[in-house]
Amino acid sequence: MAARKRQSRNKASDGGERAFLAAYDASAFPHPSVAVDVALVTIVEGALRAVLVRREEHPAKGAWALPGGFVGMDESLDAAAARVLATKVGVEGVFVEQLYTFGAVKRDPRTRVIAVAYYALVHPGLLERAPLNGNTVLAELAVPWRGESGGDVGAVRPEGGRLKLAFDHAAMLGLVVLRLRGKLDYAPIGFELLPRHFTLRQLQEVHETILGKRLNKDSFRRRMLASGRIRATGRREADVGHRPAALYRFARRTKR
Amino acid sequence: MAARKRQSRNKASDGGERAFLAAYDASAFPHPSVAVDVALVTIVEGALRAVLVRREEHPAKGAWALPGGFVGMDESLDAAAARVLATKVGVEGVFVEQLYTFGAVKRDPRTRVIAVAYYALVHPGLLERAPLNGNTVLAELAVPWRGESGGDVGAVRPEGGRLKLAFDHAAMLGLVVLRLRGKLDYAPIGFELLPRHFTLRQLQEVHETILGKRLNKDSFRRRMLASGRIRATGRREADVGHRPAALYRFARRTKR
DNA sequence: GGACATATATGCGATAGGCATATATGCTTT
DNA sequence: AAAGCATATATGCCTATCGCATATATGTCC
């Protein structure tokens, strides 16, 4: 689906055309800058949450923003997103996918900045190693439940109140939720929010959290088992005060 | 720091912060350029087709490419896509939507160019007014049909042979097809490829062309009529050598 | 008026989802 | 050790939808 290309850093070597290329170097003219903003999303306590960092500088100083950074001349967009995740949040090797590119003229009051938004999914257990200091927060994404009124999809609230978000980052988070909802049925994104081994109930809770509505337990179970995307591990959960559920893991191939 | 001159552009508001903003002007450093490429897609003779222009300049001189252009400092991405469509193809007021942003480092041998790909949908009748001269072609997108083997999705062929595409534009076209397939069920994109009034059979043929497989006629009819997205006009097609079909039009609201 | 081609309507079996009920099982309590 | 508990797992039924077949309707063409 999303073209995820990993580009090797082969250095430029167009010998004969160099003079020509220089003449067409678009960077000689003023043009927009490009940044990546990454929404690192997880689920804690039954709510979608995203990592936000407090801006130390103008513009929007003091507001909360998605971790981001400008795209270097020699790194791909995907690489820039991974770098931002590793540098600013300390997370590596997680699911990352491009979301949308925001290009309104005045979205950044400084200069013209085009932002390529990414979203990443991670099991909260992996976030424990990433220190969330005072300048970083795991904010709950407001996802109105079925029948529940009020609240924009994806708007952010910390613990009841509402955080002021910089730039158009609130729109980015709203789009993340919509994208997750749209892809949940046909893309293996639910598993990214769970540990390697999980129960069917845990998987259902992830789906319910993303979709913002309750699902029928039996139908969900049948659908998942028939999808061929999960495989029984033969193990069971432990230390629960009742019959333990079977543990499954994600199966890459759709076997039928 | 030295980019002070640049800052005079937006003297509109930020009185006190001007010096600060100048210090953070990212355009003072070398950074990637941004272009938009637009796939104008239509259906002619039962095949998805896209407008391609022959490149007159290096790089990839002589190859076929999607109409594109660099993004100006004072235009949004959406505006740039609309400008490219109007300027290079002569089409306005059609459905345009962002597709994906391609950011591999070496995708353009000249300099670093990040391409925000768009796709547009248009009824072929509207394209007749747009002159397709020798440098412009309406190339068929290779969409393998169910059971049919070979051929990358979205690869381009003129009339049997295969066109050489510049840059990563073949990947863009492939992604267009996948996106159309994915959105067809829940987004009103099929109607964009039809005239204002259309028959159910015409709509079904559009769906079949996009999906690359035959659909059951009765199920399709029932599904469309029950979707609430089409409304009977009371009129019928004329001059067909058999019983004329009822004409429908797209209804914005999903009434139930 | 009849042939023809396609549109439109109706019925039926297969399949999947929603729902209720019954059974299984590991842990905790008595 | 036995009973209780809470949840997992299995089974059956009803209904909506889809694929398929059949029947009827309605224009044009000869």
Side-chain angles (χ1 to χ4, degrees):
Chain A
M1 190 45 152
R4 202 185 301 181
K5 46 195 57 167
R6 197 153 290 274
Q7 195 76 6
S8 58
R9 298 284 167 79
N10 46 0
K11 59 184 64 176
S13 60
D14 313 292
E17 296 185 16
R18 187 166 308 174
F20 170 85
L21 291 178
Y24 278 77
D25 188 349
S27 61
F29 306 94
H31 56 278
S33 311
V34 182
V36 293
D37 292 312
V38 187
L40 179 57
V41 176
T42 190
I43 293 184
V44 175
E45 295 170 8
L48 280 174
R49 292 182 142 86
V51 171
L52 298 177
V53 295
R54 186 189 288 273
R55 286 187 60 82
E56 302 285 355
E57 312 285 348
H58 281 100
K61 180 175 178 177
W64 295 91
L66 297 175
F70 286 101
V71 177
M73 279 297 274
D74 296 315
E75 66 177 353
S76 69
L77 287 173
D78 292 355
R83 171 177 59 79
V84 165
L85 271 182
T87 302
K88 302 211 168 183
V89 196
V91 168
E92 290 180 274
V94 301
F95 174 91
V96 185
E97 198 167 76
Q98 189 182 306
L99 175 69
Y100 192 78
T101 300
F102 292 77
V105 175
K106 301 297 289 181
R107 57 174 297 279
D108 186 322
R110 286 178 295 183
T111 63
R112 181 71 195 284
V113 179
I114 290 171
V116 184
Y118 277 76
Y119 67 100
L121 304 178
V122 63
H123 169 241
L126 283 178
L127 266 184
E128 290 173 1
R129 273 175 277 176
L132 295 181
N133 53 47
N135 286 333
T136 308
V137 75
L138 197 57
E140 177 178 349
L141 301 187
V143 180
W145 276 62
R146 183 191 210 157
E148 196 177 321
S149 65
D152 326 77
V153 174
V156 166
R157 58 190 172 193
E159 295 299 330
R162 186 165 290 210
L163 293 183
K164 173 175 169 55
L165 285 185
F167 310 120
D168 46 9
H169 289 190
M172 292 180 182
L173 288 173
L175 195 55
V176 166
V177 175
L178 295 180
R179 180 70 57 87
L180 289 178
R181 287 181 177 178
K183 295 195 72 168
L184 190 56
D185 280 342
Y186 68 92
I189 59 179
F191 312 105
E192 304 292 343
L193 295 164
L194 289 171
R196 176 183 299 273
H197 299 300
F198 51 86
T199 67
L200 282 174
R201 170 166 291 278
Q202 288 175 316
L203 183 59
Q204 180 173 351
E205 284 169 356
V206 166
H207 280 233
E208 289 178 339
T209 300
I210 292 175
L211 296 175
K213 67 178 180 184
R214 295 237 153 267
L215 298 175
N216 182 276
K217 182 177 174 179
D218 301 281
S219 301
F220 184 81
R221 163 184 292 276
R222 273 183 304 208
R223 211 155 39 91
M224 285 302 135
L225 291 176
S227 73
R229 287 210 289 231
I230 63 176
R231 184 144 21 147
T233 63
R235 304 204 290 173
R236 304 177 157 271
E237 58 180 353
D239 289 334
V240 288
H242 50 80
R243 174 176 178 174
L247 288 172
Y248 295 84
R249 63 181 179 83
F250 173 60
R252 291 183 188 172
R253 282 277 144 234
T254 304
K255 63 169 63 176
R256 194 159 286 275
Chain B
M1 292 282 190
R4 196 79 169 87
K5 54 180 181 180
R6 168 65 60 71
Q7 210 53 35
S8 60
R9 189 177 294 272
N10 54 354
K11 62 178 62 175
S13 50
D14 335 280
E17 299 182 14
R18 187 168 310 172
F20 170 84
L21 290 179
Y24 278 77
D25 188 348
S27 62
F29 305 94
H31 56 279
S33 310
V34 182
V36 293
D37 293 312
V38 186
L40 179 57
V41 176
T42 190
I43 292 184
V44 176
E45 295 170 8
L48 280 174
R49 293 182 143 83
V51 172
L52 299 178
V53 295
R54 187 189 287 274
R55 286 188 58 84
E56 302 285 356
E57 311 286 349
H58 280 102
K61 181 175 179 179
W64 295 91
L66 297 175
F70 286 100
V71 177
M73 278 299 275
D74 295 313
E75 67 177 353
S76 68
L77 286 173
D78 292 355
R83 171 177 58 80
V84 164
L85 272 183
T87 302
K88 303 213 168 182
V89 196
V91 168
E92 291 181 273
V94 301
F95 174 92
V96 185
E97 197 167 77
Q98 187 181 307
L99 175 68
Y100 193 79
T101 299
F102 293 76
V105 175
K106 300 298 290 180
R107 56 173 298 280
D108 186 323
R110 285 179 296 183
T111 62
R112 180 71 195 285
V113 179
I114 289 170
V116 183
Y118 279 75
Y119 68 99
L121 303 178
V122 64
H123 170 240
L126 282 179
L127 266 184
E128 291 173 1
R129 275 175 277 175
L132 296 180
N133 53 45
N135 286 333
T136 308
V137 75
L138 198 56
E140 176 180 349
L141 300 186
V143 179
W145 277 63
R146 183 191 209 157
E148 195 177 320
S149 65
D152 325 78
V153 173
V156 165
R157 55 190 174 196
E159 296 299 330
R162 185 166 291 212
L163 293 182
K164 173 176 168 55
L165 285 184
F167 311 120
D168 46 8
H169 289 190
M172 291 180 183
L173 288 173
L175 195 54
V176 166
V177 175
L178 295 180
R179 181 69 58 86
L180 289 178
R181 287 182 176 177
K183 295 195 73 168
L184 190 56
D185 281 341
Y186 68 93
I189 59 178
F191 311 105
E192 303 292 343
L193 296 164
L194 289 171
R196 176 183 300 273
H197 299 301
F198 52 86
T199 68
L200 282 175
R201 170 165 290 278
Q202 288 175 317
L203 183 59
Q204 181 174 350
E205 284 169 356
V206 167
H207 280 234
E208 290 178 339
T209 301
I210 291 175
L211 296 176
K213 66 178 180 184
R214 295 238 152 267
L215 297 175
N216 181 275
K217 183 178 175 179
D218 303 282
S219 301
F220 183 81
R221 163 185 292 277
R222 273 183 303 207
R223 210 153 41 91
M224 286 302 135
L225 291 176
S227 73
R229 288 209 287 232
I230 64 176
R231 183 144 21 149
T233 63
R235 304 204 290 174
R236 301 176 158 273
E237 58 182 351
D239 289 335
V240 288
H242 49 81
R243 172 174 178 176
L247 288 172
Y248 295 85
R249 65 180 176 82
F250 173 61
R252 290 182 190 172
R253 281 278 144 235
T254 304
K255 64 168 62 175
R256 194 158 285 275

